[in-house]
């Protein structure tokens, strides 16, 4: 606490990112990065962009990238917004679209950045409890008769549970709330979920947010994007241009463009992650874990006889980091990112040793 801090800063509870260890030989299954490197075409594009043109500002609208995203997802470039990681896109959406008179709604167990943005922007909010089996029930997001309903943000698949919501369920929520924005945070959609992007043409209140950090192996490049009606994108642009006109630097724009265009590499690495996830799930079941059905690049698992914090600490001793959240309802779960087959085998081997 410092007397120089503004009252807002003094009141913040900032997000705590998963550890990025300085030791190189750890097996890192804690922050849902992709275990495979980005497409070789991305690296070539970034190298090719490394020249004297770096003295110039980048294109503030990242037009080439927005066109490529528009083409890939069958939306107009004017329906695409790009930002410095989807965290930035989300932050701008909270400020531009989710700060309304009725409280913002999101699940009680979800991406822990949402309450942080609410704190930063002073957004009133209310949490909606997941079901006993950690599902989002769409019926909980329908407006109650006679009461104004606030905007909504949900990850699909949800984090950290990994459980997906079917497209029909998303549509029910979006259709029932036409006067408020519904943001679907699809950070993990490419590992088995159904994107809501196809609904954008019919619902002007839907904003779909995606990232290159997970399925395109580019967490280090910091590029995320949103797709939605032009009115929503214009709202995001107004905030962006009141904050930082150039969120995508020249190297990021070049690498991101190549990533979006290399569909074959994307499909291949996603399929590999999904195969490994399914094998890891089977191996965890065999060790007695309950594993929530995941459509993401991580699994959320608990053991009926083992304390999660102790397991996380014991794994760390073995050089393997996983994520444990000390939050109500989920403090007996471990969130394990899907690594390579070899990394997941090491995890299972280490757990067997710990249980022996
Ligand atoms: N949404 C969810 C649900 C996430 O888990 C993450 C990753 N922490 C993000 C958004 C942000 O990812 P990025 O800023 O790397 O695009």
């Amino acid at each position: 606490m410092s007397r120089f801090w503004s009252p807002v800063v003094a009141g913040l509870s900032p997000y705590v990112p998963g550890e990025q260890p300085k030791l190189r030989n750890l097996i890192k299954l804690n922050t849902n990065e992709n275990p495979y490197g980005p497409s070789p075409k991305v690296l070539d594009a970034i190298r090719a962009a490394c020249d004297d043109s770096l003295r110039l500002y980048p294109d503030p609208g990242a037009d080439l990238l927005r066109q490529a995203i528009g083409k890939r997802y069958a939306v107009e470039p004017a329906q695409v917004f790009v930002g410095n990681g989807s965290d930035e896109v989300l932050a701008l959406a909270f400020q531009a679209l989710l700060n309304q008179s009725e409280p913002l709604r999101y699940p009680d167990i979800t991406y822990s950045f949402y309450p942080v943005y609410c704190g930063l922007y002073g957004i009133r909010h209310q949490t909606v409890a997941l079901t006993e089996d950690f599902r989002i029930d769409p019926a909980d997001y329908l407006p109650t008769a006679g009461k104004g309903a606030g905007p909504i943000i949900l990850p699909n698949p949800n984090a950290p549970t990994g459980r997906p919501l079917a497209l029909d369920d998303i549509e029910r929520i979006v259709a029932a709330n036409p006067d408020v924005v519904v943001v679907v945070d699809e950070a993990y959609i490419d590992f088995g979920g159904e994107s809501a992007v196809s609904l954008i043409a019919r619902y002007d209140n839907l904003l779909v947010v995606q990232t290159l950090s997970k399925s395109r192996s580019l967490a280090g490049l910091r590029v995320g994007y949103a797709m939605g009606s032009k009115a929503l994108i214009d709202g995001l642009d107004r905030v962006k241009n009141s904050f930082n006109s150039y969120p995508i630097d020249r190297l990021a724009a070049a690498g991101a463009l190549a990533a979006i265009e290399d569909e074959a590499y994307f499909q291949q690495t996603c399929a590999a992650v999904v195969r490994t996830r399914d094998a890891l799930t089977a191996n965890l079941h065999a060790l007695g874990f309950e594993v929530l059905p995941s459509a993401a690049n991580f699994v959320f698992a608990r053991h009926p006889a083992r304390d999660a914090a102790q397991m996380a600490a014991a794994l760390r001793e073995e050089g393997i980091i996983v994520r444990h959240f000390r939050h109500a309802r989920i403090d007996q779960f471990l969130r394990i990112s899907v690594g390579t087959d070899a990394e997941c085998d090491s995890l299972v081997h280490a757990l067997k040793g710990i249980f022996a």
Side-chain angles (χ1 to χ4, degrees), residues 159-177:
T161 64
R163 292 199 81 136
L165 207 53
L167 186 57
D168 284 353
D169 289 332
I170 297 282
E171 182 164 8
R172 254 177 91 195
I173 296 171
V174 175
N177 291 280

Side-chain angles (χ1 to χ4, degrees), residues 6-163:
S6 69
V8 169
V9 168
L12 293 177
S13 314
Y15 178 72
V16 184
E19 180 187 0
Q20 292 295 341
K22 302 290 181 288
L23 297 171
R24 284 190 69 95
N25 54 355
L26 291 176
I27 295 182
K28 205 177 161 305
L29 303 178
N30 66 330
T31 47
N32 301 342
E33 289 134 335
N34 199 303
Y36 304 106
S39 155
K41 291 180 183 164
V42 168
L43 303 181
D44 287 346
I46 294 172
R47 281 188 203 103
C50 262
D51 62 21
D52 282 351
S53 67
L54 282 173
R55 74 190 177 80
L56 300 171
Y57 283 105
D59 172 7
D63 284 353
L64 289 177
L65 176 57
R66 284 193 304 114
Q67 280 163 22
I69 293 170
K71 190 164 161 223
R72 168 64 177 77
Y73 293 96
V75 295
E76 294 297 320
Q79 296 178 302
V80 181
F81 177 86
V82 293
N84 188 253
S86 62
D87 278 340
E88 185 187 77
V89 176
L90 291 169
L92 298 177
F94 271 72
Q95 200 175 19
L97 307 170
L98 302 180
N99 194 358
Q100 303 293 350
S101 51
E102 294 297 329
L104 172 66
R105 296 173 282 165
Y106 54 79
D108 62 338
I109 296 164
T110 196
Y111 185 30
S112 44
F113 227 132
Y114 301 162
V116 177
Y117 293 134
C118 289
L120 179 59
Y121 299 120
I123 299 175
R124 292 195 308 125
H125 56 280
Q126 68 192 33
T127 58
V128 181
L130 297 185
T131 61
E132 273 298 294
D133 54 349
F134 301 99
R135 276 181 306 106
I136 290 172
D137 184 347
D140 293 337
Y141 291 86
L142 309 180
T144 22
K147 272 181 69 182
I152 295 170
I153 182 163
L154 313 158
N156 188 32
N158 195 11
T161 64
R163 292 199 81 136

Side-chain angles (χ1 to χ4, degrees), residues 15 85-87 90 111 155 159 185 187-188 211 213-214 222:
Y15 178 72
S86 62
D87 278 340
L90 291 169
Y111 185 30
D185 175 357
Y188 303 103
T211 177
S213 296
K214 320 289 179 178
R222 312 306 301 130

Side-chain angles (χ1 to χ4, degrees), residues 224-277:
Y225 49 99
M227 296 173 286
S229 60
K230 191 165 176 310
L232 300 189
I233 301 303
D234 286 349
L236 294 174
D237 267 325
R238 288 172 73 86
V239 180
K240 183 205 94 163
N241 290 324
S242 307
F243 175 69
N244 175 11
S245 317
Y246 305 107
I248 307 286
D249 64 67
R250 285 175 170 268
L251 305 185
L257 178 64
I260 294 289
E261 289 180 340
D262 195 347
E263 184 69 21
Y265 186 87
F266 159 76
Q267 295 290 352
Q268 181 193 323
T269 44
C270 286
V273 168
V274 168
R275 269 197 307 275
T276 308
R277 177 187 73 214

